Amino acid sequence: MDAEEFRRRGKEMVDYVADYLEKIEERPVYPDVEPGYLRQLIPTEAPEEPESYEDVMRDVERVIMPGVTHWHSPNFFAYFPTATSYPSMLADILCGAIGCIGFSWAASPACTELETVMMDWLGKMLKLPDCFLAGTDGHGGGVIQSTASEATLVALLAARCKAVKRVQSINPELSEAEIFSKLVAYTSEQAHSSVERAGLIGGVMMKQVPTDYNYSLRGTLLQKMIEEDKAAGLVPFFLCATLGTTSCCSFDNLQELGPICNEQNMWMHVDAAYAGSSFICPEFRPLLNGIELADSFNFNPHKWLLINFDCSAMWVKKRTDIIGAFKLEPFYLKHDNQESGLITDYRHWQIPLGRRFRSLKMWFVFRTYGIKKMQDLIRKHVALAKEFESLVRADKRFEICAEVVLGLVCFRIKGSNELNQALLKRITKSREIHLVPCQLSGQFVLRFCICARLTESHHVQKAWQHITQLTFELLQEPIN
Amino acid sequence: MDAEEFRRRGKEMVDYVADYLEKIEERPVYPDVEPGYLRQLIPTEAPEEPESYEDVMRDVERVIMPGVTHWHSPNFFAYFPTATSYPSMLADILCGAIGCIGFSWAASPACTELETVMMDWLGKMLKLPDCFLAGTDGHGGGVIQSTASEATLVALLAARCKAVKRVQSINPELSEAEIFSKLVAYTSEQAHSSVERAGLIGGVMMKQVPTDYNYSLRGTLLQKMIEEDKAAGLVPFFLCATLGTTSCCSFDNLQELGPICNEQNMWMHVDAAYAGSSFICPEFRPLLNGIELADSFNFNPHKWLLINFDCSAMWVKKRTDIIGAFKLEPFYLKHDNQESGLITDYRHWQIPLGRRFRSLKMWFVFRTYGIKKMQDLIRKHVALAKEFESLVRADKRFEICAEVVLGLVCFRIKGSNELNQALLKRITKSREIHLVPCQLSGQFVLRFCICARLTESHHVQKAWQHITQLTFELLQEPIN
């Protein structure tokens, strides 16, 4: 395909995309396919000779679309949102065309520098303490990771490296492996599975601390566990606190946890993957209080800030901590400017080497929306969640299972887990809306999360009618 | 921005992209900016109110383009190529619009299933042994990782997990930490720095084995090191062999290394990040001989197979090995079909949780090019490298520093390292072409790699004229 054909096909694709998103409601939100459906629809090998582009596009509707879960349908209320917006998609097209790999400053200076400045812009939107910003002479700074899981892992590895150095400076006779075996990290029992996984990858113990009645991690229980572990000869070195847990969007108490971590020389990483976007609204910013006590902070603009996946924003107070954990300097990546102190080689901040020009998406979205219109989206979603909460509360057959703070409502039929499982099964099967469950205090709970940019009140009302209709039918019949 | 405006802006962007790529030669390949150039060109904070889209696009030329290293310019001969093609960009636009997150089968079945089948297609193109393919009842299979660095890390973690289980089954009294401290991994001294980094992250020893005169890792030296390490009580568990090293595109000897790894119960991972794409040509396929002895294999279609970054293709012989190293099953990600055996939840195959619908790019490229046209590109690039090699060999002032197998030529002026450094400095400063150096046997060497899809013979000829002109000038003057 040459540039001329690309001009034509690209414009057709833009129309296809606009059509898809404008009419997405007409498609069932959850696909009606069985595992293995796709393999039978296409050949077993790639063609020797080129096929026509028309054939490929025809197959998008025949092969792909029937198997897509439509995350941007206004009837999608599952998991957490994944963000999208037209300016973000436009920036991504440009990113694909420039197609530079930004592992070092020299590999494409604009790619590195725009990222640093965009992370400062975003940090200021959240009113992050200055110590997290790069500015022109700061010690902190931001980096775009691919996902929150990677940010957690990077923070844990930086903390591990720092802890090993600290322990070795006191006990030079200890080997790295011996120190690893004594290191212990903590997170709440409500934390995302990727935190436990970071411990697994890093080869260190990761303990889950119980939460309070609000599913919030509190200082007392952490303190108690630390004391016990220290008495047993272990070395506490890392806490991953969560703001907005995946199960029920609960918030750990940073103001209690922070001072403990600081006193114990423990790294505090704060994961606000979903909730973080809301902190651009002054009324939600108090949820971030205590962040000044943290060593690193992360949230996903690709969840709720109109920027298409992937764009996970991570800040550290001391960039030397994070760089120190990874820095290796091969000859073929050395360049003239790297010792100037002014430049950033982002490959030292992350697990992969290569990286896309993702900050273009931030730049396009922040400027074409402006802070106010981004706040509008957050507020609209929270209001819709509150609206759904009221509907649930007004129906005595149901109960709300966790405080509704942002866009997530956890609810269930008052009754057995089996009953609620049966309800979810019917919801999934009907394919009119899509939800996923969680488990809270041993109970099977339904999660209703406002996800799509274009979800409106009437979608929420219709979803509730649908849920109550299925509940009505379910309660008429014996469960099997 | 609504759908209507996106239709307009999207079409403008398509034209901008086509213009950019059609006229890319007119831009200096390497930017003329100093560190920190960008921050002064834009405001210090995001705007409160929306700005016009025209203003943003105007700033692309004012702020971004002056700081871009143009990786797709036919005058770019640095690093290794990063792939691009129009069909790949079109698929990426579609990927952004669907915007599903494919962490599990249920999260978007098409996303998972197309990936499995595309990885089979690609595996067949390379004539990978069947044991690496998923098929309908295989034990192996492929996954798209973001980068080769991640593939190496995932392989190392899977190997580590397997080794710990094996050692513990013989010595149940050993703790995991004690076993970690005895584990030892190997790679060649020519391997990419990300291999050493994988050891660092995984908390295991990574030893660099010396290579032969061809910069190739051979069996004898590995065997010797293993014997010594075992005698010292260590447990060899992992080898990362490279096909096409970053420095000079040398090839480790799989047919010697494989039997040793198999006999010693060591995991052999093969990293062919750059060279892998060439194996779709029958004449280069012998370079992959011995792959049947490996446990995992990886290469980057996003380097040399027309698929835009990111798309790193990884296969394993036993998918349970890789899944076993990561699998955690949180409640909110359980779904009905997951125990059917037919489905794949790719989150267990990788470091991040979320993932884009990257297999669309493979599908669009493989079909619109067909295998033959992809082979054409590889062959053209190799021929251009040979052409450059002849030019160098014909000039007695220069020498070739490593065998030219694919698209990379390592060369230098016969003379001091300082002289060659001075030459590279002039090349970089002139901004007409772009190269990076490497170090081979203590010598400073220039790497000339055919990178862009549109590089032709006249670009190579012009580049050589430019290099010889700068050399002529350099040799006239004293070096300072």
Side-chain angles (χ1 to χ4, degrees):
Chain A
M1 187 180 294
D2 60 11
E4 220 38 61
E5 188 180 354
F6 172 72
R7 287 179 200 270
R8 186 154 52 94
R9 300 308 186 186
K11 289 163 194 176
E12 290 169 11
M13 182 60 90
V14 165
D15 279 327
Y16 182 85
V17 165
D19 289 343
Y20 168 68
L21 291 170
E22 283 195 307
K23 295 181 194 155
I24 197 166
E25 258 187 273
E26 296 169 13
R27 299 179 189 259
V29 58
Y30 188 69
D32 186 12
V33 295
E34 291 299 313
Y37 89 95
L38 185 140
R39 192 179 281 271
Q40 4 179 344
L41 298 179
I42 64 176
T44 55
E45 292 184 38
E48 280 291 323
E49 303 288 343
E51 293 182 60
S52 81
Y53 181 78
E54 284 90 347
D55 283 348
V56 179
M57 277 311 287
R58 204 170 300 128
D59 281 350
V60 169
E61 280 300 333
R62 186 181 67 90
V63 176
I64 304 301
M65 285 301 175
V68 170
T69 304
H70 299 286
W71 283 61
H72 303 294
S73 162
N75 299 317
F76 182 91
F77 303 104
Y79 313 108
F80 274 135
T82 185
T84 188
S85 69
Y86 290 119
S88 170
M89 284 189 259
L90 292 170
D92 222 13
I93 299 174
L94 183 60
C95 164
I98 294 176
C100 62
I101 305 297
F103 43 71
S104 70
W105 181 87
S108 216
C111 178
T112 294
E113 297 206 6
L114 187 66
E115 182 162 334
T116 309
V117 180
M118 284 306 105
M119 290 299 296
D120 275 1
W121 278 23
L122 184 55
K124 287 177 189 172
M125 278 189 230
L126 302 175
K127 308 235 179 310
L128 274 190
D130 281 348
C131 52
F132 285 105
L133 306 183
T136 48
D137 56 359
H139 298 287
V143 58
I144 303 176
Q145 303 283 359
S146 179
T147 63
S149 323
E150 283 171 84
T152 306
L153 176 59
V154 165
L156 178 130
L157 294 173
R160 191 187 70 177
C161 178
K162 223 179 146 178
V164 166
K165 279 185 198 152
R166 184 163 48 85
V167 174
Q168 267 180 338
S169 74
I170 307 166
N171 309 289
E173 77 287 359
L174 287 180
S175 72
E176 196 178 88
E178 284 169 312
I179 299 171
F180 274 26
S181 71
K182 293 180 194 301
L183 293 180
V184 54
Y186 305 89
T187 195
S188 120
E189 58 183 7
Q190 293 295 326
H192 192 270
S193 59
S194 58
V195 181
E196 191 182 340
R197 214 156 170 259
L200 211 64
I201 294 171
V204 293
M205 222 178 300
M206 174 69 69
K207 293 199 172 181
Q208 295 192 333
V209 189
T211 52
D212 72 5
Y213 62 98
N214 258 333
Y215 306 107
S216 165
L217 179 58
R218 307 294 300 272
T220 335
L221 279 181
L222 176 68
Q223 183 81 52
K224 187 164 165 281
M225 222 179 225
I226 291 174
E227 296 306 337
E228 287 169 6
D229 286 338
K230 283 171 75 173
L234 297 178
V235 180
F237 81 106
F238 181 76
L239 169 72
C240 177
T242 310
L243 299 179
T245 57
T246 307
S247 293
C248 65
C249 200
S250 59
F251 290 76
D252 293 343
N253 192 320
L254 297 192
Q255 286 170 309
E256 289 180 7
L257 302 169
I260 298 172
C261 290
N262 291 177
E263 196 192 294
Q264 301 286 344
N265 254 319
M266 286 166 60
W267 184 293
M268 182 162 83
H269 175 67
V270 176
D271 170 14
Y274 163 67
S277 298
S278 73
F279 306 154
I280 64 167
C281 301
E283 67 272 34
F284 300 121
R285 176 57 178 77
L287 293 168
L288 187 60
N289 286 351
I291 192 63
E292 64 281 2
L293 303 166
D295 296 280
S296 53
F297 171 63
N298 171 254
F299 84 98
N300 291 345
H302 70 230
K303 278 200 163 62
W304 204 11
L305 212 58
L306 296 152
I307 297 167
N308 282 51
F309 187 88
D310 54 329
C311 180
S312 183
M314 180 188 194
W315 290 266
V316 284
K317 249 186 201 163
K318 278 198 193 167
R319 53 180 179 238
T320 47
D321 283 343
I322 197 170
I323 295 168
F326 289 119
K327 195 167 182 176
L328 295 170
E329 203 71 85
F331 200 75
Y332 44 84
L333 293 179
K334 280 193 202 288
H335 55 87
D336 278 352
N337 284 304
Q338 70 188 17
E339 301 310 331
S340 75
L342 251 176
I343 68 116
T344 301
D345 283 344
Y346 272 125
R347 71 178 181 281
H348 300 309
W349 297 56
Q350 60 175 21
I351 307 289
L353 175 68
R355 49 207 329 275
R356 282 161 62 88
F357 199 161
R358 291 170 293 196
S359 55
L360 283 174
K361 293 186 286 192
M362 299 171 84
W363 198 45
F364 272 54
V365 167
F366 296 165
R367 294 183 65 188
T368 56
Y369 275 83
I371 296 173
K372 282 192 183 165
K373 291 231 181 263
M374 292 190 278
Q375 290 170 334
D376 288 349
L377 177 83
I378 303 285
R379 287 172 180 145
K380 182 180 98 169
H381 276 195
V382 177
L384 289 173
K386 299 277 185 195
E387 182 179 337
F388 186 81
E389 181 191 10
S390 313
L391 292 168
V392 177
R393 286 201 190 275
D395 188 327
K396 293 216 169 100
R397 294 169 300 177
F398 289 88
E399 59 187 336
I400 293 290
C401 309
E403 194 190 345
V404 178
V405 182
L406 298 172
L408 176 67
V409 184
C410 290
F411 72 106
R412 68 196 302 278
I413 308 177
K414 292 172 186 162
S416 69
N417 283 349
E418 291 69 29
L419 187 67
N420 282 283
Q421 273 166 339
L423 173 60
L424 183 65
K425 242 186 182 143
R426 289 181 183 219
I427 292 172
T428 304
K429 212 178 157 193
S430 80
R431 301 177 205 284
E432 289 196 24
I433 60 174
H434 191 47
L435 310 184
V436 293
C438 70
Q439 198 164 27
L440 290 175
S441 310
Q443 289 195 314
F444 186 94
V445 169
L446 281 71
R447 291 170 81 266
F448 186 92
C449 187
I450 309 296
C451 287
R453 187 168 54 86
L454 297 177
T455 300
E456 302 292 342
S457 171
H458 69 91
H459 298 109
V460 171
Q461 294 287 341
K462 215 179 110 201
W464 179 243
Q465 274 168 29
H466 179 65
I467 292 169
T468 49
Q469 175 61 31
L470 292 178
T471 303
F472 175 79
E473 290 167 19
L474 181 65
L475 295 174
Q476 304 292 306
E477 306 157 24
I479 310 163
N480 45 6
Chain B
M1 187 180 293
D2 60 11
E4 220 36 61
E5 188 179 353
F6 172 72
R7 287 179 200 270
R8 184 153 52 95
R9 300 308 186 187
K11 290 164 193 175
E12 290 169 11
M13 183 59 91
V14 165
D15 279 327
Y16 182 86
V17 165
D19 289 343
Y20 168 69
L21 292 170
E22 282 195 309
K23 296 180 194 156
I24 197 165
E25 259 188 271
E26 297 169 15
R27 300 179 188 259
V29 58
Y30 188 68
D32 186 13
V33 295
E34 290 300 312
Y37 89 96
L38 185 141
R39 192 181 282 272
Q40 3 177 351
L41 298 179
I42 65 175
T44 55
E45 292 185 38
E48 281 290 323
E49 303 287 343
E51 291 182 62
S52 81
Y53 181 78
E54 284 89 346
D55 284 348
V56 178
M57 276 311 289
R58 203 170 300 127
D59 282 350
V60 169
E61 279 300 333
R62 185 180 67 90
V63 177
I64 304 300
M65 285 301 174
V68 170
T69 305
H70 299 287
W71 284 61
H72 303 294
S73 163
N75 299 317
F76 181 91
F77 304 103
Y79 313 109
F80 273 135
T82 184
T84 189
S85 69
Y86 290 119
S88 172
M89 283 190 259
L90 292 169
D92 223 13
I93 299 174
L94 183 60
C95 164
I98 295 177
C100 62
I101 305 296
F103 45 70
S104 70
W105 181 86
S108 216
C111 178
T112 294
E113 297 206 4
L114 187 65
E115 182 162 334
T116 309
V117 180
M118 284 306 105
M119 290 299 296
D120 274 1
W121 277 24
L122 184 55
K124 287 177 190 171
M125 278 188 231
L126 301 176
K127 308 239 180 306
L128 274 189
D130 281 348
C131 52
F132 285 105
L133 307 182
T136 48
D137 55 0
H139 297 288
V143 58
I144 303 175
Q145 303 283 359
S146 179
T147 63
S149 324
E150 283 172 84
T152 306
L153 176 59
V154 164
L156 179 130
L157 294 173
R160 190 186 71 177
C161 178
K162 223 178 146 179
V164 167
K165 279 185 197 152
R166 184 165 47 86
V167 176
Q168 267 180 338
S169 74
I170 306 164
N171 307 290
E173 75 289 358
L174 288 181
S175 72
E176 196 178 86
E178 284 169 311
I179 299 170
F180 274 26
S181 71
K182 294 180 194 302
L183 293 180
V184 54
Y186 305 89
T187 195
S188 119
E189 59 183 7
Q190 293 295 326
H192 191 269
S193 59
S194 58
V195 181
E196 191 182 342
R197 213 156 171 259
L200 210 65
I201 293 170
V204 293
M205 223 178 299
M206 174 70 69
K207 294 200 172 181
Q208 295 191 334
V209 189
T211 52
D212 71 6
Y213 63 98
N214 258 332
Y215 307 106
S216 165
L217 179 58
R218 306 294 300 269
T220 333
L221 279 181
L222 177 68
Q223 182 82 50
K224 185 164 166 280
M225 222 181 227
I226 290 175
E227 296 306 338
E228 286 169 7
D229 286 339
K230 283 172 75 175
L234 297 178
V235 180
F237 82 106
F238 181 77
L239 169 72
C240 179
T242 310
L243 299 179
T245 57
T246 307
S247 294
C248 64
C249 200
S250 60
F251 290 76
D252 293 342
N253 192 321
L254 297 193
Q255 286 169 310
E256 288 180 8
L257 302 169
I260 298 173
C261 291
N262 291 176
E263 194 191 297
Q264 299 286 345
N265 252 320
M266 284 166 61
W267 184 293
M268 181 161 83
H269 175 68
V270 176
D271 171 13
Y274 163 67
S277 298
S278 73
F279 306 154
I280 64 167
C281 300
E283 67 272 34
F284 300 121
R285 176 57 178 78
L287 293 167
L288 186 59
N289 287 351
I291 193 63
E292 64 281 2
L293 303 166
D295 296 280
S296 53
F297 170 63
N298 173 253
F299 84 98
N300 291 344
H302 70 229
K303 277 201 164 64
W304 204 12
L305 212 58
L306 296 152
I307 297 169
N308 282 53
F309 187 89
D310 54 325
C311 180
S312 182
M314 179 187 194
W315 290 266
V316 285
K317 249 188 201 161
K318 277 198 193 168
R319 54 181 179 241
T320 47
D321 283 343
I322 198 171
I323 294 168
F326 290 121
K327 195 168 182 177
L328 295 169
E329 203 69 88
F331 200 75
Y332 45 84
L333 293 180
K334 280 192 200 291
H335 55 86
D336 278 353
N337 285 305
Q338 71 188 18
E339 301 310 334
S340 75
L342 252 175
I343 67 116
T344 301
D345 284 342
Y346 272 125
R347 70 176 182 281
H348 301 308
W349 296 56
Q350 59 174 23
I351 307 289
L353 176 67
R355 51 209 328 275
R356 283 162 61 88
F357 199 160
R358 293 171 292 197
S359 55
L360 284 174
K361 293 187 286 193
M362 300 170 83
W363 199 44
F364 272 53
V365 168
F366 295 165
R367 294 182 66 187
T368 56
Y369 274 83
I371 296 172
K372 282 191 184 165
K373 292 230 179 264
M374 293 189 279
Q375 290 170 334
D376 288 350
L377 178 82
I378 302 285
R379 288 173 179 145
K380 183 180 96 170
H381 277 196
V382 177
L384 289 173
K386 299 278 185 196
E387 181 178 339
F388 186 82
E389 181 191 10
S390 314
L391 293 167
V392 177
R393 287 200 191 275
D395 188 326
K396 293 214 167 103
R397 295 170 299 175
F398 289 89
E399 60 187 336
I400 293 288
C401 308
E403 193 191 345
V404 178
V405 182
L406 298 171
L408 175 69
V409 183
C410 290
F411 72 105
R412 66 196 302 279
I413 306 178
K414 291 172 187 163
S416 69
N417 283 348
E418 291 67 30
L419 186 67
N420 282 283
Q421 274 166 338
L423 173 59
L424 183 64
K425 243 187 182 140
R426 289 181 184 218
I427 293 173
T428 305
K429 213 177 156 194
S430 82
R431 301 177 205 285
E432 288 194 29
I433 60 173
H434 191 49
L435 310 184
V436 294
C438 70
Q439 199 164 25
L440 288 176
S441 310
Q443 289 196 313
F444 186 94
V445 170
L446 280 70
R447 291 170 81 266
F448 185 91
C449 187
I450 309 296
C451 287
R453 187 167 54 86
L454 297 177
T455 300
E456 302 293 342
S457 170
H458 68 90
H459 297 109
V460 170
Q461 294 287 342
K462 214 180 112 202
W464 179 243
Q465 276 168 28
H466 179 64
I467 292 168
T468 48
Q469 175 62 31
L470 293 179
T471 303
F472 175 79
E473 290 167 20
L474 181 65
L475 295 175
Q476 305 291 308
E477 306 157 24
I479 308 163
N480 45 8

